[in-house]
Amino acid sequence: MRLLEGRHHIVIPCSPGIAPFLARELRDLKMPVIEERATSVSTKGDFADVVRLNLNLCTGQRVLWRLASFTASDPDQLYEKLMPLNWEELVPVDGYFSVTSVVETPTIRDSRFANLRVKDAIVDRLRRCHGRRPDSGPLRDQLVFHLFWQQDEVKIYLDTSGPTLAQRGYRLDPGKAPLRETLAAALILASGWRGAQTFINPMCGSGTLAIEAALLAQRRIPGLLRQHYSFQSLAGYKNMELLSLRAQALREARPDRKIRLIASDHDPLMIKVAKENAVRAGVAGVIEFITCDFAETPVPSSANPGGVLLCNPEYGVRLGEEEELKITYRRLGDFLKQKAAGYEAFIFSGNRNLLKEVGLRPARRWFFDNGGIPCELAAYPLYAGSQTKPETVSEPVNPA
Ligand SMILES: C[S@@+](CC[C@H](N)C(=O)[O-])C[C@H]1O[C@@H](n2cnc3c(N)ncnc32)[C@H](O)[C@@H]1O
């Protein structure tokens, strides 16, 4: 069996809450959604689709190409069933690979042992083919194989991305408590903002939200920024496909599209970092960066209905203290009520108590995870005649 030919299962892991947005991205790319789970979405396609997904997806973590699935009840069976695969089609004899895994099977207590058996099978097969063996180790910057072994069900994947797709390449200095780029992109998609109206991002930190919003509106796909993917380390891989997809993406990008984004932070160092990140992302020209308290952020008139104001204030776990932050959230609520009429406001926070201090009832909530902390994005439509009322009761709103 040729391992890179034909249509295979493709699995794209994501963090909790993101799967619906990832599934939407797949459908937009005309890929079938076979299964949507809490932390992954599956599709099916050929290897050209894998390259396309790596370049285009904004919310997925990595693109896993299924090489084989079979049953194995112990490490020796695993080795025996992996050996016949044509690893020499994938791994250059002088190449380097690493193995990652998720293992839940009674015969394995330490997943590193399963990884070792995968490595042995690949190395022994290549030694038999070429008389020499490739190198292997923990680095994920070249070829990566991923073992998923649950009870006696084994699935072995080529991780075609390597380092997470969240690493777009523009954020060298993350600042304090930054959002992962994939999560920031999901928040923009949830907000519904696509560039027609003003986008305001008070408390912008390193600028991730404003930068992801600008990239999305100008159709600059992540693959225009990121330099390397694991699939480029495949034996005999020619960059032609990647180059032609990049060229097509450049033709489809709209860097001249007029959009208006305002990003502010009271910390001048964060504004400097955010500006540098925006320069690297190629969107510095469309984001107006301002050093000010969030309440002084300019909010262009509500004659522009449908504008989006999205912010990610500190929420007291990693930075700041809850009591102090209550004042910030109350002031944020006042700012929204007094200055942001005509906009739809969104607050992303990991602290429900603090969100209550805003004093507005969210019309909608989406639930996510940020670095292991359950978080939510709360939506407050503030346009005339909207349903947002001052909060009098705190009743749960169903997750989307
Ligand atoms: C959680 S961080 C935002 C991180 C950002 N989303 C990112 O990806 O980098 C919160 C930011 O709010 C800023 N901030 C806190 N209080 C503020 C205030 N009163 N006015 C303006 N900015 C404030 C902090 O300087 C910090 O950069």
Side-chain angles (χ1 to χ4, degrees):
M1 188 180 74
R2 302 194 60 86
L3 294 174
L4 298 181
E5 286 180 2
R7 287 172 68 75
H8 289 220
H9 271 92
I10 300 168
V11 177
I12 303 144
C14 60
S15 63
I18 287 187
F21 302 100
L22 177 55
R24 201 196 299 170
E25 282 200 274
L26 282 167
R27 289 192 191 97
D28 288 348
L29 290 165
K30 308 275 180 279
M31 296 294 293
V33 172
I34 292 175
E35 193 180 15
E36 189 181 314
R37 304 177 69 140
T39 56
S40 70
V41 179
S42 306
T43 182
K44 204 166 185 176
D46 60 22
F47 206 76
D49 291 320
V50 160
V51 177
R52 206 160 60 88
L53 292 173
N54 269 292
L55 266 68
N56 280 275
L57 290 177
C58 297
T59 61
Q61 268 168 9
R62 49 181 36 90
V63 181
L64 304 177
W65 168 257
R66 192 186 290 172
L67 296 168
S69 63
F70 50 81
T71 55
S73 49
D74 61 51
D76 288 340
Q77 270 188 24
L78 176 74
Y79 176 90
E80 292 303 329
K81 293 201 172 172
L82 287 172
M83 262 291 267
L85 299 183
N86 296 343
W87 296 103
E88 63 280 9
E89 287 175 16
L90 310 181
V91 188
V93 66
D94 53 356
Y96 175 97
F97 70 91
S98 66
V99 181
T100 58
S101 62
V102 173
V103 178
E104 284 168 31
T105 191
T107 54
I108 295 281
R109 265 183 303 184
D110 183 343
S111 66
R112 281 175 302 183
F113 185 61
N115 297 3
L116 200 62
R117 294 308 278 156
V118 176
K119 187 210 82 181
D120 289 346
I122 300 174
V123 162
D124 291 350
R125 169 90 188 189
L126 266 99
R127 200 185 274 122
R128 195 185 287 175
C129 288
H130 301 297
R132 285 190 294 145
R133 55 153 292 177
D135 208 356
S136 66
L139 301 178
R140 297 181 72 142
D141 59 347
Q142 297 186 48
L143 286 179
V144 184
F145 297 104
H146 182 72
L147 169 73
F148 184 82
W149 190 1
Q150 207 157 35
Q151 298 309 320
D152 61 354
E153 293 292 325
V154 175
K155 295 184 177 76
I156 183 89
Y157 297 93
L158 170 66
D159 174 349
T160 65
S161 312
T164 165
L165 293 174
Q167 291 177 19
R168 315 276 204 239
Y170 64 75
R171 205 169 66 183
L172 299 187
D173 186 343
K176 40 184 176 180
L179 287 176
R180 272 189 320 280
E181 294 85 335
T182 39
L183 176 56
L187 301 184
I188 308 293
L189 293 176
S191 79
W193 188 80
R194 296 294 178 274
Q197 302 88 8
T198 308
F199 181 93
I200 304 179
N201 175 210
M203 303 192 244
C204 69
S206 60
T208 325
L209 285 164
I211 293 169
E212 288 294 321
L215 292 169
L216 194 85
Q218 295 196 331
R219 294 201 201 150
R220 297 175 188 235
I221 60 168
L224 288 174
L225 292 168
R226 177 161 157 145
Q227 292 308 310
H228 191 264
Y229 299 89
S230 170
F231 64 76
Q232 291 172 270
S233 301
L234 282 166
Y237 184 79
K238 305 271 186 296
N239 274 331
M240 295 307 291
E241 198 164 26
L242 180 67
L243 294 176
S244 95
L245 279 172
R246 278 214 182 106
Q248 184 192 339
L250 268 179
R251 286 193 298 276
E252 287 169 5
R254 296 172 61 192
D256 299 329
R257 182 179 181 197
K258 296 246 174 306
I259 47 175
R260 179 146 199 216
L261 296 102
I262 299 169
S264 69
D265 200 288
H266 67 175
D267 182 344
L269 186 62
M270 289 319 304
I271 290 294
K272 179 174 173 289
V273 165
K275 277 185 183 169
E276 287 166 0
N277 289 338
V279 168
R280 271 188 292 272
V283 293
V286 291
I287 307 175
E288 199 179 324
F289 286 105
I290 302 167
T291 306
C292 65
D293 183 82
F294 68 80
E296 303 305 318
T297 308
V299 181
S301 102
S302 56
N304 178 18
V308 162
L309 188 152
L310 171 51
C311 64
N312 162 218
E314 291 154 7
Y315 42 78
V317 178
R318 285 179 288 183
L319 296 168
E321 290 302 323
E322 186 162 324
E323 282 311 308
E324 258 174 56
L325 286 172
K326 278 186 179 169
I327 300 167
T328 303
Y329 278 67
R330 260 176 243 149
R331 287 178 57 230
L332 183 55
D334 293 343
F335 167 67
L336 297 182
K337 286 174 239 170
Q338 289 157 18
K339 299 214 178 143
Y343 279 73
E344 183 160 19
F346 296 85
I347 304 178
F348 180 77
S349 176
N351 188 321
R352 174 72 60 87
N353 288 337
L354 289 173
L355 275 174
K356 284 183 189 157
E357 298 296 326
V358 170
L360 289 167
R361 187 195 301 223
R364 197 163 174 203
R365 287 176 174 150
W366 295 263
F367 296 89
F368 296 95
D369 172 291
N370 187 21
I373 300 165
C375 288
E376 67 185 75
L377 178 70
Y380 308 92
L382 301 166
Y383 21 84
S386 77
Q387 297 303 303
T388 302
K389 304 181 189 86
E391 177 132 300
T392 47
V393 283
S394 54
E395 55 192 39
V397 177
N398 286 336

